[in-house]
Amino acid sequence: MYIVGAANVINAVGNTIYEFNLATYWDVTSASFSGFRNLTEGSGGNPGATDLHVKDDGTLLTLIGSTDNQIYKYLFTTPWDISTLNYAGVQKSAYDL
């Protein structure tokens, strides 16, 4: 399970992806923290994300920027492993959908 949020209260912008493992499918009470990835370091800037989506096969993560409504694209080198995310550019504006 992935959650987008702020790394700290002072920098309250959704630029960090948090990863949790679920012991039981769809049961958030069984979640255990697995890791996080700050997406502002060498990854195309700070989108201040409001939402995220991971493709079913775990190869693509998209974020919607809160300040610019752009759709930011990140590719997984290893499916589902957030430590392997690489910035792949802006897909398009959310206004164009």
Side-chain angles (χ1 to χ4, degrees):
M1 174 176 76
Y2 301 100
I3 298 173
V4 63
N8 58 54
V9 176
I10 296 170
N11 181 20
V13 177
N15 57 12
T16 302
I17 304 296
Y18 296 93
E19 181 178 29
F20 296 85
N21 294 321
L22 298 178
T24 304
Y25 292 118
W26 304 104
D27 181 2
V28 296
T29 65
S30 72
S32 61
F33 180 72
S34 177
F36 70 94
R37 174 78 188 267
N38 186 328
L39 297 179
T40 61
E41 299 170 3
S43 60
N46 183 351
T50 59
D51 200 3
L52 67 85
H53 178 265
V54 179
K55 189 175 174 184
D56 290 342
D57 63 3
T59 60
L60 172 70
L61 178 135
T62 53
L63 298 173
I64 298 177
S66 65
T67 57
D68 60 7
N69 293 310
Q70 297 291 313
I71 299 173
Y72 292 83
K73 191 164 59 169
Y74 295 84
L75 299 175
F76 290 88
T77 303
T78 302
W80 302 106
D81 183 353
I82 63 171
S83 69
T84 68
L85 279 175
N86 294 299
Y87 178 69
V90 174
Q91 186 171 335
K92 62 169 50 180
S93 170
Y95 291 123
D96 295 336
L97 297 177

